[in-house]
Amino acid sequence: MVCRGEWVLYRTIDSESIIHDWSLRIDSAEVTDSIEGAADNPEYYSGENYDAPERITAEAKEGMELLHVVYTARNDGMEPGGLPVTYAVIFSDGEVFAPTGDDDDYGYNLTLNRDPAAGQSQQNPHSEAQGDIVIEIPADSELAAVEFCDPYIDSGFCTTIELTDVD
């Protein structure tokens, strides 16, 4: 298994059965109770107060924590491409959690602040872009790895990166 900070091959397949090669690396992984600027602000999106900030601090629910992972994706192909990927965290006991609901939005919102943003647009060959994953997990969970999978039906392409010494 590849560890945080190391590049790993990640493959995707498109609707024409063409395989695309990428490299992924986890740059940081942190467990926290809150993440500034990750949550949508209902006051802003209600249309009643556009002076309110668009994003506010995301807070973990009681008994839970937020795992925030920053990763880099590099397009190893010969053509521009988009990075199709789904994520999950694997605990030391084999249990798996995926982002759902609000925490899925948190990672998306944080990634939008990056330039370029991994998975949000096309990447030219050999270019790198960063992205964010946020998954709400039970407090004091023993983390083992993050799994990146191609969402294309039955592609079977998944890459696992071990989480060691999570902050």
Side-chain angles (χ1 to χ4, degrees):
M1 191 177 311
V2 174
C3 295
R4 177 171 57 155
E6 299 175 24
W7 288 103
V8 62
L9 175 66
Y10 173 71
R11 288 198 154 140
T12 63
I13 190 166
D14 64 22
S15 60
E16 291 148 13
S17 298
I18 297 172
I19 295 173
H20 302 274
D21 287 339
W22 295 81
S23 289
L24 296 176
R25 176 185 70 210
I26 291 181
D27 300 320
S28 66
E30 172 188 28
V31 175
T32 183
D33 294 328
S34 63
I35 303 172
E36 188 176 327
D40 291 329
N41 185 351
E43 189 176 323
Y44 175 86
Y45 284 101
S46 70
E48 295 175 15
N49 186 0
Y50 289 120
D51 292 330
E54 184 177 358
R55 307 272 190 263
I56 57 175
T57 301
E59 301 282 342
K61 295 177 186 81
E62 187 174 332
M64 304 294 277
E65 295 174 312
L66 298 172
L67 170 64
H68 179 200
V69 175
V70 177
Y71 69 95
T72 298
R74 181 179 64 218
N75 180 351
D76 291 337
M78 299 298 287
E79 296 182 17
L83 177 69
V85 64
T86 59
Y87 320 97
V89 62
I90 303 170
F91 300 111
S92 59
D93 66 0
E95 189 172 21
V96 178
F97 268 52
T100 59
D102 288 341
D103 51 334
D104 197 28
D105 293 339
Y106 301 160
Y108 175 80
N109 289 341
L110 293 169
T111 298
L112 287 178
N113 290 326
R114 301 196 179 274
D115 186 23
Q120 302 305 315
S121 60
Q122 295 286 310
Q123 276 184 243
N124 283 322
H126 315 294
S127 68
E128 295 179 9
Q130 279 193 313
D132 295 81
I133 303 166
V134 177
I135 302 175
E136 191 169 47
I137 59 175
D140 301 320
S141 297
E142 289 188 37
L143 301 169
V146 173
E147 183 177 60
F148 296 83
C149 290
D150 181 4
Y152 192 71
I153 297 172
D154 296 328
S155 78
F157 292 134
C158 289
T159 296
T160 303
I161 301 176
E162 186 176 328
L163 290 174
T164 55
D165 303 323
V166 175
D167 304 330

